[in-house]
Amino acid sequence: MTYTIQDIARILQVETDSTPPVIIQYLLTDSRKIVFPEHSLFFAIGGPRRDGHDFIREVYERGVRCFVVREGFDVSGFPGALFLKVQVVLKALQLLAKHHRNQFQIPVIGITGSNGKTIVKEWLYQLLQKDYQIIRSPRSYNSQIGVPLSVWQMNETHTLAIFEAGISTAGEMSALAAIIQPTIGVFTNLGEAHNPGFKDQQQKAIEKSQLFTNADTLVYAKDGLQNHLFPEGRDRQLFPVNAQMVSWSREEGATLLVKEEKKASLQTQVSLCYQSQNFTLTIPFTDRISIDNSLTCCTVMLAMGYSISVIQERLQVLEPVDMRMQLKKAINNCYLINDSYSNDLVSLTLALDFLQQQAGKQKTTLILSDVPESGLSEDVLYREIAKQVTERGIRRFIGIGPSMIRHQNLFAEEAPDLDARFYPSTENFLADINSQSFRDEYILVKGARVFSFERISVWLEQKVHQTVMEINVSAMVHNLKEYQNRLAPSTRLMAMVKAFSYGSGSAEIARILQFHKVDYLAVAYADEGVELRKAGISLPIMVMNMEEAGFDSLVSYDLEPEIYSFPIYTAFHHYLDQQGIQQFPVHIKINTGMNRLGFEPEDVVQLSGMLRAHQTMAVKTVFSHLVASESAEQDGFTQHQVGLFRQACTELENRLGYNFIKHIANTAAIHRNPEYQFDMVRLGIGLYGVDVAEGKGMQLETVATLKSTIAQLRKVKAGETIGYGRKGVVLKDSLIATVRIGYADGFSRKLGLGRGKMYVQGKLAPVIGQVCMDMTMLDVTGIPDLKEGGIVEIFGKNLPIEQVAAWSETIAYEVMTGISQRVKRVYLEE
């Protein structure tokens, strides 16, 4: 289905000129994700912190000529551009998507719930793809913006659509319901997510259920939902009178009754009853969440008329859904992005976005398998892929599979300068390459499961140590937005990436922060800033601990030093004067009570005189460091610090005759002391999911998860001892697990002798004996289903880092920054 910009103007009921029609294929809301500018329409959506109108110049310069903007926006200065002016840009996007959805009469499954939406969507795709040509939401595109972008992907080849809808506050679902218009509704469950946006659980259930007000069928998990969806006195009035209600439950009264569950090592046998017919399902998972999601999928298939035998056959081969792209260090200074989530055009676009975000200006390689069942003819499909590769500036392309071989000529036509190679199978590729084939580049590996691309990933990875720290990029972005939402629109944000980004990886984290448009970065020493510049980071960078040995690096790499004393000021002034440099940007530190670094407030008069006289430096910002902003008990001292800081800034500004950025609020103060935001705030450990403020209150997500594996399981008799010094005495016959982590990895010796624990198979297992350099022993007696090679969590979602810090008699900062560099960092994008 083709739209011109004039067609879209008519749909939105706005005027446009009669210029030659422009075909619109792509809808954009993000200035960083432009691939085909000549066929793109940019919606300048405003948000709490960013306004799309501020990026129109950037988007225009990158070739986009069609825009939807708010009424009153000044469109002068954009020759050749077409602007559709509307009252609310987001509503215009949703209206266009609603119109597009109305062009199709195919069945549409709409999914909502507190958890499990994406898993259920992906499993339904696995279960139904043999019978339908399916369009589905990419990853978790379920928001007010994500839903219309998902629905826009519908075309004439599709025979079934599966979309998910997520909301965070009352009043949001009606817009999504009008866009999705599901014929089959799926309500997964009702949990604690987004509770602050609703009066109570019932209001949240009723709001979410608005997605189904015109559905023909509603599938839901009765346990925990029945009383909310059908409160006394309401009965079915929330839903169409003739709607088919299909539920599953572990209690009587549901359409599908769970009678018994028997778990084995890798699967669960579930005995069920449906319409008086008893049958058994084999589900290839043992955890409760996966079983519940599988039963929801089973109920959907029953509601769609599938036979029990087909459901039994397909559910037993369900594959786990890894919703995360992984960024890992690889051979020869390469980085590997492994995306095994799915292999279609939409997910390829998202993976290429992540590749560009991480690689910056570094060389890039795409290893791609045949793309199965796209709904497009193969010529159209592979020509589109070739165009994507060209527009993205991919340096090298490796295509694997018989379809790739058949269509390699299309890549030569669309990308004549591309280094492209093609192989009929993964085996042929692995036989042809050697360890020198890849060097100093970013490699995206994306393949359909049948091609077993995990062998390519294993070959490319540097597998030297089974202890890894997973950094959840999506959680970090969530935390960033949580803090940004607390800021006034004009308040800038400086992100602290010192100490290897609190142990998380400097360059990798900085790229993410740059992509999400933070205003400043801060590092501890000049060499950290140099590393970021070499990695392609262009954001302004403040260096907090300047040394004379680093002066050359500061100037050569455009790093901005903190000036905290007269001796360091004088030394840097002499260096700049010798180099003939004037107005070099610097940051002035004022000591207001930390008594660590900084000028005293009374030094401002002398300092301002030197700055005016010398003119070698220009003050970019002035800042101070709060001592105890996390503590209510110290609020009086915090207020005292702010008063000193404000006086010093006023004095300095008056004497210099120009304005500068002021900042004193740290992570805790952003939340607890919003009145102290000034012009900028500094966000540190909160970015990584640790809320240090008393009373908490921030909805932060865990970013770092430290994992290792069990090297050996050993049965030990009562009276025997474990480890050095015979300190760990076994009081009864026990099972001991030796885990591949020790104090050389950053696991503190203070955690030995039972003080520390690790999370194993849903249980906390205490450390027994002393912590060794490379190994730690756990008492895992009574924990079922253990095996050598099994995963152990040292800290993460199940075992908070704050708890590990408490056991270690320290703070989360020290635990994070103390993780050794030999522990590989793996970056996950959900």
Side-chain angles (χ1 to χ4, degrees):
M1 184 167 294
T2 302
Y3 294 89
T4 66
I5 189 66
Q6 288 80 8
D7 293 331
I8 293 173
R10 284 191 291 273
I11 295 165
L12 301 182
Q13 298 180 351
V14 298
E15 295 182 358
T16 186
D17 57 38
S18 57
T19 56
V22 178
I23 301 297
I24 299 298
Q25 295 175 279
Y26 307 96
L27 305 185
L28 295 175
T29 61
D30 191 328
S31 62
R32 301 161 298 187
K33 298 182 178 180
I34 300 170
V35 181
F36 299 107
E38 66 276 13
H39 296 300
S40 295
L41 175 61
F42 181 75
F43 286 78
I45 295 173
R49 292 277 304 160
R50 305 284 182 187
D51 188 337
H53 295 82
D54 296 336
F55 300 94
I56 286 177
R57 173 62 61 184
E58 174 189 335
V59 173
Y60 176 83
E61 290 175 353
R62 293 181 62 185
V64 175
R65 291 296 179 266
C66 296
F67 301 86
V68 178
V69 299
R70 64 170 177 261
E71 292 176 350
F73 178 74
D74 183 4
V75 300
S76 61
F78 299 94
L82 284 170
F83 289 89
L84 307 183
K85 295 184 178 182
V86 299
Q87 288 187 338
V88 181
V89 177
L90 175 58
K91 289 185 178 179
L93 172 65
Q94 294 174 339
L95 178 61
L96 176 59
K98 177 183 176 182
H99 172 89
H100 185 63
R101 164 67 181 91
N102 286 335
Q103 310 312 303
F104 301 92
Q105 302 303 314
I106 62 175
V108 174
I109 300 174
I111 306 172
T112 195
S114 296
N115 305 104
K117 297 184 292 293
T118 302
I119 295 293
V120 168
K121 177 196 69 186
E122 291 301 318
W123 278 351
L124 286 175
Y125 175 76
Q126 288 184 29
L127 294 165
L128 304 177
Q129 62 179 326
K130 288 183 179 179
D131 310 306
Y132 296 93
Q133 190 63 49
I134 302 174
I135 178 66
R136 68 197 193 280
S137 307
R139 296 191 179 271
S140 54
Y141 270 41
N142 58 29
S143 66
Q144 299 291 308
I145 296 174
V147 166
L149 294 180
S150 299
V151 170
W152 181 254
Q153 306 296 321
M154 296 176 76
N155 64 48
E156 297 88 343
T157 67
H158 299 125
T159 57
L160 174 68
I162 309 175
F163 299 123
E164 55 177 294
I167 57 173
S168 56
T169 189
E172 291 184 335
M173 186 59 86
S174 58
L176 303 186
I179 299 168
I180 297 174
Q181 302 172 40
T183 57
I184 301 172
V186 180
F187 203 141
T188 58
N189 55 46
L190 194 67
E192 301 301 315
H194 303 298
N195 270 356
F198 303 93
K199 182 176 65 176
D200 52 32
Q201 289 290 82
Q202 183 163 308
Q203 184 195 36
K204 181 161 64 172
I206 292 172
E207 175 69 23
K208 287 179 178 289
S209 67
Q210 289 184 29
L211 178 62
F212 316 123
T213 51
N214 293 303
D216 299 324
T217 301
L218 172 61
V219 174
Y220 66 101
K222 183 178 178 183
D223 301 346
L225 275 174
Q226 182 73 16
N227 292 335
H228 293 303
L229 288 181
F230 306 106
E232 187 176 353
R234 284 186 181 271
D235 196 30
R236 292 168 53 102
Q237 69 183 54
L238 287 171
F239 308 105
V241 174
N242 298 321
Q244 177 189 17
M245 300 293 172
V246 186
S247 60
W248 71 266
S249 176
R250 293 179 172 87
E251 300 175 0
E252 295 289 341
T255 314
L256 178 67
L257 174 64
V258 180
K259 299 175 70 175
E260 187 179 16
E261 298 166 75
K262 293 182 179 179
K263 295 182 181 180
S265 58
L266 296 175
Q267 62 186 29
T268 304
Q269 296 281 341
V270 184
S271 298
L272 300 158
C273 181
Y274 174 69
Q275 294 181 345
S276 302
Q277 184 175 355
N278 295 316
F279 66 100
T280 301
L281 280 183
T282 299
I283 297 174
F285 306 99
T286 57
D287 63 289
R288 176 67 175 261
I289 293 174
S290 296
I291 293 169
D292 286 1
N293 289 333
S294 300
L295 290 171
T296 296
C297 292
C298 172
T299 311
V300 172
M301 294 184 75
L302 288 169
M304 294 178 71
Y306 278 85
S307 68
I308 289 173
S309 60
V310 169
I311 295 172
Q312 289 171 319
E313 175 189 347
R314 295 187 185 180
L315 256 84
Q316 68 181 351
V317 292
L318 267 184
E319 295 178 337
V321 175
D322 187 353
M323 296 181 293
R324 308 174 300 180
M325 284 181 279
Q326 300 177 342
L327 174 67
K328 303 179 181 180
K329 272 291 239 180
I331 59 174
N332 302 329
N333 199 36
C334 292
Y335 280 91
L336 168 67
I337 297 174
N338 179 21
D339 182 16
S340 57
Y341 182 68
S342 57
N343 193 29
D344 53 45
L345 272 179
V346 175
S347 67
L348 174 61
T349 298
L350 295 174
L352 288 171
D353 285 343
F354 188 59
L355 174 65
Q356 287 187 305
Q357 170 188 329
Q358 286 297 322
K361 297 180 180 179
Q362 303 294 312
K363 296 185 294 185
T364 53
T365 292
L366 170 61
I367 304 176
L368 183 69
S369 79
D370 288 351
V371 178
E373 301 176 0
S374 71
L376 303 172
S377 71
E378 287 200 340
D379 278 2
V380 172
L381 170 65
Y382 289 102
R383 191 177 296 279
E384 178 72 15
I385 291 172
K387 288 179 180 178
Q388 284 250 20
V389 168
T390 303
E391 294 288 337
R392 303 278 188 162
I394 302 297
R395 185 186 68 87
R396 176 167 51 169
F397 177 83
I398 296 171
I400 297 177
S403 295
M404 285 286 185
I405 292 288
R406 286 195 302 272
H407 296 89
Q408 58 184 295
N409 63 301
L410 296 178
F411 289 83
E413 293 173 13
E414 295 291 339
D417 299 325
L418 177 68
D419 178 6
R421 304 175 190 181
F422 298 87
Y423 299 88
S425 68
T426 304
E427 290 76 11
N428 294 116
F429 168 70
L430 289 171
D432 186 54
I433 59 171
N434 58 60
S435 61
Q436 300 306 309
S437 299
F438 299 91
R439 183 175 296 278
D440 302 320
E441 58 193 293
Y442 281 73
I443 307 161
L444 170 60
V445 174
K446 188 164 180 59
R449 292 184 185 274
V450 68
F451 287 89
S452 302
F453 269 21
E454 62 271 12
R455 289 181 291 165
I456 298 176
S457 298
V458 168
W459 188 87
L460 288 168
E461 285 178 35
Q462 295 177 333
K463 284 232 175 213
V464 293
H465 191 23
Q466 292 190 38
T467 299
V468 299
M469 187 151 77
E470 293 181 351
I471 308 299
N472 188 320
V473 172
S474 301
M476 176 173 289
V477 172
H478 166 86
N479 295 341
L480 173 64
K481 291 179 179 178
E482 274 287 300
Y483 282 99
Q484 285 178 327
N485 289 338
R486 306 271 176 158
L487 303 181
S490 60
T491 304
R492 297 177 175 89
L493 187 143
M494 174 184 284
M496 314 303 288
V497 292
K498 60 182 181 176
F500 198 55
S501 287
Y502 292 74
S504 298
S506 298
E508 296 82 3
I509 299 304
R511 287 191 191 96
I512 294 159
L513 296 171
Q514 179 169 275
F515 184 78
H516 288 280
K517 298 188 181 296
V518 302
D519 302 286
Y520 250 98
L521 298 176
V523 297
Y525 294 99
D527 54 358
E528 293 178 318
V530 171
E531 178 190 343
L532 296 183
R533 289 287 185 246
K534 289 181 176 179
I537 303 302
S538 58
L539 283 173
I541 299 172
M542 180 174 77
V543 178
M544 303 187 75
N545 300 295
M546 186 169 68
E547 303 167 306
E548 290 190 43
F551 287 175
D552 279 332
S553 294
L554 291 171
V555 173
S556 299
Y557 290 94
D558 296 319
L559 306 174
E560 302 173 6
E562 168 190 322
I563 305 296
Y564 53 82
S565 70
F566 286 114
I568 201 70
Y569 171 90
T570 302
F572 194 49
H573 160 65
H574 287 318
Y575 170 83
L576 294 173
D577 195 41
Q578 289 172 359
Q579 301 296 319
I581 297 172
Q582 291 190 322
Q583 300 295 303
F584 194 86
V586 297
H587 304 260
I588 303 298
K589 175 77 169 285
I590 304 294
N591 175 40
T592 59
M594 177 68 79
N595 294 317
R596 186 172 60 183
L597 293 175
F599 292 97
E600 300 304 323
E602 56 267 26
D603 292 336
V604 164
V605 174
Q606 181 183 350
L607 176 62
S608 61
M610 296 170 72
L611 286 163
R612 284 201 320 273
H614 295 147
Q615 294 295 308
T616 50
M617 301 175 217
V619 178
K620 198 79 172 286
T621 82
V622 175
F623 71 105
S624 188
H625 205 119
L626 294 176
V627 173
S629 60
E630 71 280 359
S631 171
E633 183 181 352
Q634 298 294 335
D635 280 350
F637 190 75
T638 297
Q639 186 176 5
H640 169 71
Q641 284 191 271
V642 172
L644 292 176
F645 176 68
R646 185 176 277 117
Q647 291 173 13
C649 288
T650 300
E651 181 78 18
L652 190 57
E653 220 162 40
N654 289 339
R655 290 179 176 274
L656 290 178
Y658 60 84
N659 298 326
F660 43 73
I661 296 170
K662 308 168 191 67
H663 52 110
I664 193 171
N666 53 11
T667 297
I670 294 172
H671 168 44
R672 292 198 65 252
N673 308 108
E675 67 273 24
Y676 302 148
Q677 289 181 11
F678 287 91
D679 306 307
M680 185 160 69
V681 298
R682 300 188 302 275
L683 178 58
I685 200 164
L687 187 63
Y688 307 92
V690 179
D691 188 353
V692 297
E694 284 182 3
K696 307 299 182 182
M698 299 292 290
Q699 301 295 316
L700 303 182
E701 294 183 358
T702 301
V703 171
T705 300
L706 182 61
K707 293 181 176 180
S708 191
T709 57
I710 297 173
Q712 189 175 28
L713 290 167
R714 180 187 304 278
K715 293 180 179 179
V716 179
K717 294 290 186 183
E720 294 191 34
T721 61
I722 307 297
Y724 288 116
R726 305 196 69 201
K727 299 289 186 181
V729 180
V730 177
L731 301 179
K732 61 180 181 180
D733 291 357
S734 300
L735 182 64
I736 305 301
T738 300
V739 180
R740 294 180 172 96
I741 190 170
Y743 59 78
D745 301 296
F747 190 72
S748 174
R749 291 188 80 245
K750 289 184 178 180
L751 294 167
L753 304 177
R755 285 187 290 269
K757 298 178 177 65
M758 298 185 195
Y759 187 81
V760 186
Q761 290 285 91
K763 305 286 185 182
L764 288 179
V767 175
I768 185 168
Q770 302 274 25
V771 175
C772 306
M773 180 181 288
D774 309 300
M775 296 284 179
T776 300
M777 284 70 75
L778 303 178
D779 185 346
V780 294
T781 306
I783 299 178
D785 300 325
L786 292 178
K787 59 183 178 180
E788 293 177 355
I791 301 295
V792 174
E793 182 181 302
I794 293 88
F795 60 73
K797 275 189 175 181
N798 301 296
L799 180 53
I801 191 171
E802 295 93 329
Q803 179 61 70
V804 176
W807 289 333
S808 306
E809 299 177 346
T810 185
I811 57 176
Y813 295 80
E814 183 177 349
V815 176
M816 285 271 296
T817 58
I819 303 304
S820 165
Q821 293 300 296
R822 81 176 185 182
V823 175
K824 187 194 297 186
R825 273 66 173 175
V826 177
Y827 300 87
L828 308 175
E829 169 98 353
E830 293 186 347

